[in-house]
């Protein structure tokens, strides 16, 4: 067990203003600082009173989920599972603009059907299902765009808080694709079939207040309050019996979990969408910053 996993690395936390109100209580495991810096390139981790804040840290690419982020998130989640110092976790994005603007589209270019399906399956196994089934609460603090894989990442968490400027959407159809990290399953569970269907096939984006009205997020806070208030909720949960909390997570998941068949069908269909001309056109149009023209092939 690596107790040095969650560290505040002084000076590199640009969300520091947001953390000011909780910083005085942050635990520091200074001897492991260099080890951690080597360990993660695309995420940051910090332990605050038993709460591990995991920040996806590619702000110049709107925190898009590339392979490195998926691998590092997977490793961080393994620590959340096994490190007794960690009682719960928050997943958020660096900066004020984006939580996560989706899977990294630049990694889609060379993927065929098998490659697309593998990408979805690996992400589901390493990160999304691991979050959903975590024995400790994992909450998304959505600080900006949560699109595609970003919305799916938030939905895999046990519940969600959001800043007033957060925006949610599943824009995969703009790229000739479908969601591959559980979006077709968890959005239906969280907001119901009709609205989920509309959002998934229009690619419309919704703001935080609408997301709250739909039940997609539980609380909307100002950007400054997002982390302190989310930490406050988790501190309240930490006063409850941990084994009971873990059992409730399992049972609530059983009541409302993404069906295994639905998730594996989604992986298959996601892969199939990579074998279409529309995927080539949609991803090329995004990268060339122009509107896509789909042939339906
Ligand atoms: N994958 C890879 N790169 C991404 C990305 C993604 N999902 N989302 C944003 N980026 C990159 C942009 O390409 C750009 O990079 P550049 O500066 O090297 O050109 C950078 O992040 C900033 O994004 P930009 O599009 O310039 O910001 P914007 O304010 O004009 O638009 C969004 C913001 C979120 C509306 C727009 O970035 C977007 O539509 N992103 C893709 C969302 C998506 O389709 N997600 C699902 C993927 S399956």
């Amino acid at each position: 067990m690596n107790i040095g996993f969650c560290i505040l690395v002084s000076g590199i936390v640009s969300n520091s203003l947001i953390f000011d109100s909780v910083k005085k209580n942050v635990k520091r495991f200074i001897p492991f600082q260099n080890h951690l810096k080597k360990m993660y390139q695309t995420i940051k981790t910090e332990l605050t009173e038993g709460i591990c804040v995991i920040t996806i840290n590619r702000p110049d690419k709107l925190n898009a989920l590339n392979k490195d982020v998926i691998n590092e998130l997977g490793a961080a989640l393994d620590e959340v599972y096994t490190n007794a110092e960690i009682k719960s976790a928050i997943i958020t994005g660096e900066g004020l603009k984006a939580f996560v603007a989706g899977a990294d589209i630049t990694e889609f270019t060379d993927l065929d059907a098998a490659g697309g399906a593998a990408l979805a399956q690996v992400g589901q196994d390493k990160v999304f299902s691991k979050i959903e089934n975590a024995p400790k609460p994992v909450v998304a603090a959505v600080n900006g765009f949560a699109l595609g894989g970003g919305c799916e990442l938030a939905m895999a968490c046990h519940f969600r808080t959001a800043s007033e400027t957060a925006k949610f959407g599943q824009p995969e159809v703009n790229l000739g694709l479908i969601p591959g990290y559980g979006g077709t399953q968890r959005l239906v569970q969280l907001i119901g079939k009709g609205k989920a269907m509309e959002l998934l096939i229009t690619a419309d984006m919704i703001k935080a207040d609408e997301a709250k009205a739909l039940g997609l997020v539980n609380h909307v806070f100002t950007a400054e309050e997002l982390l302190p208030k989310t930490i406050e909720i988790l501190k309240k949960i930490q006063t409850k019996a941990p084994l009971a909390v873990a059992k409730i997570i399992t049972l609530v998941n059983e009541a409302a979990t993404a069906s295994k068949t639905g998730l594996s069908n989604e992986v298959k269909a996601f892969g199939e969408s990579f074998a279409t001309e529309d995927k080539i056109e949609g991803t090329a149009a995004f990268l060339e910053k122009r509107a896509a023209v789909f042939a339906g092939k």
Side-chain angles (χ1 to χ4, degrees):
M1 190 181 303
N2 169 18
I3 60 160
F5 158 70
C6 272
I7 302 175
L8 173 64
V9 181
S10 304
I12 67 162
V13 180
S14 66
N15 274 334
S16 56
L17 279 180
I18 292 169
F19 288 126
D20 271 357
S21 61
V22 291
K23 229 174 193 173
K24 60 181 185 300
N25 293 317
V26 168
K27 283 193 178 182
R28 292 165 192 259
F29 298 103
I30 298 302
F32 295 90
Q33 185 161 329
N34 291 336
H35 171 62
L36 181 85
K37 276 168 123 174
K38 268 191 214 124
M39 195 170 167
Y40 294 127
Q41 307 298 322
T42 62
I43 64 172
K44 295 188 300 189
T45 55
E46 176 180 0
L47 187 62
T48 304
E49 295 182 82
I51 300 163
C52 182
V53 180
I54 301 171
T55 305
I56 298 160
N57 189 25
R58 298 183 74 211
D60 54 327
K61 297 295 176 191
L62 305 190
N63 301 321
L65 302 174
N66 64 8
K67 285 197 184 87
D68 292 339
V69 177
I70 292 292
N71 285 335
E72 293 192 350
L73 275 178
L77 288 163
D78 288 342
E79 283 288 337
V80 170
Y81 270 62
T82 58
N83 187 337
E85 299 260 357
I86 300 171
K87 310 296 181 199
S88 60
I90 293 173
I91 299 181
T92 193
E94 178 62 27
L96 294 173
K97 187 167 177 181
F99 172 69
V100 167
D104 191 319
I105 298 165
T106 62
E107 291 187 345
F108 287 178
T109 317
D110 299 326
L111 290 182
D112 58 10
L119 180 92
Q121 190 67 63
V122 166
Q124 289 196 10
D125 293 346
K126 276 195 180 165
V127 174
F128 294 76
S129 298
K130 213 183 274 173
I131 292 172
E132 184 166 67
N133 297 315
K136 304 168 185 178
V138 182
V139 175
V142 180
N143 55 305
F145 286 116
L147 302 177
C151 190
E152 292 170 296
L153 184 67
M155 291 193 293
C157 292
H158 297 136
F159 60 89
R160 289 141 290 285
T161 58
S163 70
E164 292 162 335
T165 54
K167 287 189 179 147
F168 297 80
Q170 295 289 158
E172 288 85 354
V173 288
N174 290 336
L175 300 166
L177 295 172
I178 69 162
Y181 290 144
T184 61
Q185 308 298 296
R186 294 191 182 100
L187 193 59
V188 177
Q189 292 155 6
L190 284 166
I191 69 171
K193 181 178 168 185
K195 196 65 198 174
M197 186 76 83
E198 183 185 345
L199 289 180
L200 286 160
I201 64 182
T202 60
D204 281 350
M205 250 187 251
I206 58 170
K207 293 181 179 165
D209 54 353
E210 190 177 351
K212 181 168 179 240
L214 289 170
L216 184 53
V217 303
N218 293 15
H219 302 278
V220 177
F221 300 119
T222 63
E224 295 73 28
E225 285 182 333
L226 178 63
L227 277 177
K229 292 279 192 192
T230 307
I231 285 170
E232 221 173 86
I233 296 168
L234 285 173
K235 277 168 71 181
K236 186 202 284 184
I237 296 171
Q238 271 177 214
T239 67
K240 316 302 175 194
L243 296 179
V245 168
K247 281 196 192 334
I248 287 169
I249 290 171
T250 305
L251 291 163
V252 171
N253 279 343
E254 275 171 20
T257 204
S259 92
K260 286 202 169 62
T261 313
L263 285 174
S264 58
N265 285 344
E266 190 188 81
V267 167
K268 188 166 169 277
F270 183 75
E272 285 164 1
S273 65
F274 274 76
T276 64
E277 288 176 24
D278 285 350
K279 172 260 176 182
I280 295 168
E281 166 62 8
T283 52
F286 175 79
L287 297 172
E288 291 159 20
K289 300 188 189 291
R290 62 173 174 81
V293 181
F294 292 120
K297 292 180 186 167

